[in-house]
Amino acid sequence: MCPARDPNNLLSNGSVCFLNYDLAYGGTEKVIASLANHFNDSGRKVTILTLSSRNDFKNFIHPEIQIISLNISRIKFLIPSLIRFISMQQFDNFIANVWPLTSLSFVIRIFSRKTRLIYIEHCNLSEQFKKKSLIFKAIQKISIYIFYKFAHLVVSVSKGVRDDLISKGVQPKKIKVIYNPIISKPMVPINSLIKGVQSWMNSSKQKLIAVGELKSQKNFINLVEAIAFAKKDLNLDINLLILGDGEQRESIQNKINSLDLSENIFLAGWVKDPLPYFNLADLFVLSSDYEGFGVVIVEAMSQGLNIVSTDCKSGPSEILLDGSLGVLCKVNDCKSLGGAIDYALKNRIDSTALIRRSKEFSENKIGKLYEEILI
């Protein structure tokens, strides 16, 4: 339970408003919820502003934090809605998350001149939008070059994200790298009633776990193929639990079925808290094509779990200290990923070193870094 706020601090600690699409379960949203709780505990008045009303963090966000939805369905409605909102409520600090919400938040500087405007970029935009048209990429780069000048400070969640922002015209002196905080204590127990979880828990095989939205960025198709390679060519006796859901669930399940892996890979859907599941696993695997940071890697490390990750741009290699605290492999290469799994299972890293590293990303430590940039 969060401690009560000290009313004496409210006079000196400025108010904070976060802006994001919603509070659906995800890495960015988890970071916002964690920072919001930290600021609330430090005596700040905190508001979370979203475009839609979805909120998967009701039981985690402190009840004193105000959550307001603009109830808009399209991004083109944001500017007029934001102008109306900011004209009714004033904040000392306004923190916009994720492009294009960041760029569009420039209006805060016009209609609330005393507010400190901070942008947080959570992803490598060049990788995220690499399949878009040249016109889209040009418009994005121009919007970043122009409207990021309105921010007092731009936070990047990794050095890789910082370098990408610089390539798009953001001044290096305006960017500060602050890694994401993690929640390191389990909030919700294991739900053993989920069929996939049950099968995975009861297995005598070595247990692998992966967590994330089932979308192309996370490349679970490559992970399924890596498991097939590891079983057939490397003779590994392994089972994999995937926690998450999304648009690619059917195609991933079809791939599992086509490779005759239905007894080895289990799609369990979303769970409210992955941390207790990590304690039952032998290895965590991240198969993403790109990541801005990779909060789930640090969460797994906080439980002493060994890591295999694709060496995608930005976060993972920084978290794992260029592979000294985990095994890095090629992106979108099932043989490289399968081989990394084999190596990691046979060459364990001391869990105390992993837990020690995870503490560098604690809510308290990262929260203090944010306190230094707020008013």
Side-chain angles (χ1 to χ4, degrees):
M1 181 178 293
C2 299
R5 291 190 294 174
D6 181 356
N8 294 322
N9 284 340
L10 295 175
L11 299 176
S12 57
N13 293 346
S15 58
V16 179
C17 180
F18 291 92
L19 173 66
N20 197 51
Y21 284 98
D22 55 32
L23 287 171
Y25 191 86
T28 297
E29 294 75 19
K30 188 179 289 187
V31 168
I32 291 171
S34 177
L35 289 174
N37 280 346
H38 175 85
F39 294 153
N40 178 83
D41 296 342
S42 69
R44 295 180 183 272
K45 180 182 177 182
V46 181
T47 300
I48 300 176
L49 179 66
T50 60
L51 275 63
S52 79
S53 59
R54 180 172 176 180
N55 183 1
D56 295 337
F57 290 85
K58 293 184 181 71
N59 297 325
F60 175 70
I61 294 175
H62 198 289
E64 290 183 352
I65 294 171
Q66 186 179 29
I67 301 174
I68 300 174
S69 173
L70 294 173
N71 290 314
I72 56 177
S73 58
R74 296 186 180 181
I75 194 73
K76 66 180 182 180
F77 300 131
L78 177 60
I79 288 182
S81 297
L82 201 52
I83 291 172
R84 286 193 296 270
F85 174 78
I86 206 68
S87 65
M88 294 185 292
Q89 299 198 47
Q90 295 292 307
F91 300 95
D92 297 301
N93 304 277
F94 192 93
I95 303 176
N97 294 265
V98 184
W99 183 90
L101 299 188
T102 45
S103 289
L104 296 175
S105 296
F106 80 93
V107 296
I108 298 297
R109 290 295 302 276
I110 299 173
F111 292 90
S112 185
R113 293 180 180 275
K114 294 182 179 180
T115 299
R116 181 167 176 79
L117 180 60
I118 296 172
Y119 295 163
I120 305 180
E121 193 48 69
H122 295 261
C123 200
N124 185 309
L125 296 174
S126 294
E127 287 296 313
Q128 183 178 2
F129 297 102
K130 65 182 178 182
K131 295 182 180 179
K132 294 290 188 178
S133 68
L134 292 176
I135 294 176
F136 178 96
K137 292 176 183 177
I139 292 172
Q140 181 188 65
K141 188 169 184 177
I142 291 170
S143 76
I144 290 172
Y145 177 76
I146 294 174
F147 295 117
Y148 273 52
K149 293 179 180 179
F150 284 79
H152 290 92
L153 188 71
V154 178
V155 173
S156 64
V157 300
S158 67
K159 295 174 183 176
V161 170
R162 176 199 62 193
D163 294 344
D164 185 54
L165 288 173
I166 291 172
S167 74
K168 295 185 183 302
V170 182
Q171 296 178 340
K173 65 181 180 180
K174 181 161 279 193
I175 304 173
K176 183 177 181 64
V177 176
I178 303 181
Y179 292 124
N180 284 334
I182 65 155
I183 303 164
S184 58
K185 294 181 180 179
M187 300 180 294
V188 181
I190 287 174
N191 184 355
S192 59
L193 298 178
I194 301 174
K195 184 179 179 181
V197 170
Q198 221 174 41
S199 301
W200 179 76
M201 287 175 60
N202 295 334
S203 170
S204 60
K205 304 178 189 297
Q206 293 192 94
K207 297 178 178 63
L208 279 57
I209 189 169
V211 181
E213 186 176 354
L214 306 187
K215 58 183 180 179
S216 59
Q217 173 200 344
K218 304 300 182 180
N219 206 345
F220 286 110
I221 295 291
N222 184 54
L223 177 54
V224 172
E225 293 174 342
I227 297 299
F229 171 75
K231 284 179 61 63
K232 180 180 178 181
D233 294 73
L234 304 177
N235 297 314
L236 293 187
D237 199 18
I238 53 179
N239 276 354
L240 169 68
L241 178 69
I242 299 177
L243 300 177
D245 212 338
E247 60 190 22
Q248 285 200 330
R249 181 173 185 131
E250 184 177 353
S251 59
I252 294 169
Q253 186 63 63
N254 289 339
K255 175 63 72 171
I256 292 170
N257 295 340
S258 69
L259 294 174
D260 195 25
L261 292 172
S262 58
E263 298 298 318
N264 302 101
I265 302 178
F266 309 101
L267 300 181
W270 282 118
V271 297
K272 292 184 178 180
D273 183 10
L275 291 184
Y277 300 83
F278 293 150
N279 291 318
L280 299 178
D282 297 295
L283 186 69
F284 172 81
V285 185
L286 185 137
S287 54
S288 299
D289 288 343
Y290 62 90
E291 289 285 344
F293 179 67
V295 171
V296 69
I297 294 177
V298 187
E299 289 178 333
M301 292 175 73
S302 74
Q303 307 305 301
L305 186 57
N306 274 234
I307 310 292
V308 165
S309 173
T310 47
D311 193 7
C312 52
K313 294 187 178 181
S314 301
S317 62
E318 296 176 42
I319 296 169
L320 299 174
L321 300 179
D322 294 322
S324 64
L325 289 178
V327 182
L328 296 168
C329 65
K330 295 178 182 177
V331 172
N332 196 31
D333 186 324
C334 65
K335 291 184 178 180
S336 178
L337 181 54
I341 290 170
D342 183 31
Y343 182 87
L345 288 172
K346 294 173 181 175
N347 298 272
R348 301 281 183 176
I349 294 174
D350 182 22
S351 62
T352 57
L354 299 174
I355 294 171
R356 187 184 311 117
R357 173 61 173 162
S358 74
K359 291 180 179 178
E360 295 297 310
F361 309 94
S362 70
E363 292 171 291
N364 187 50
K365 186 166 186 175
I366 301 301
K368 287 180 179 177
L369 294 178
Y370 271 94
E371 291 285 1
E372 293 174 2
I373 65 174
L374 302 181
I375 58 175

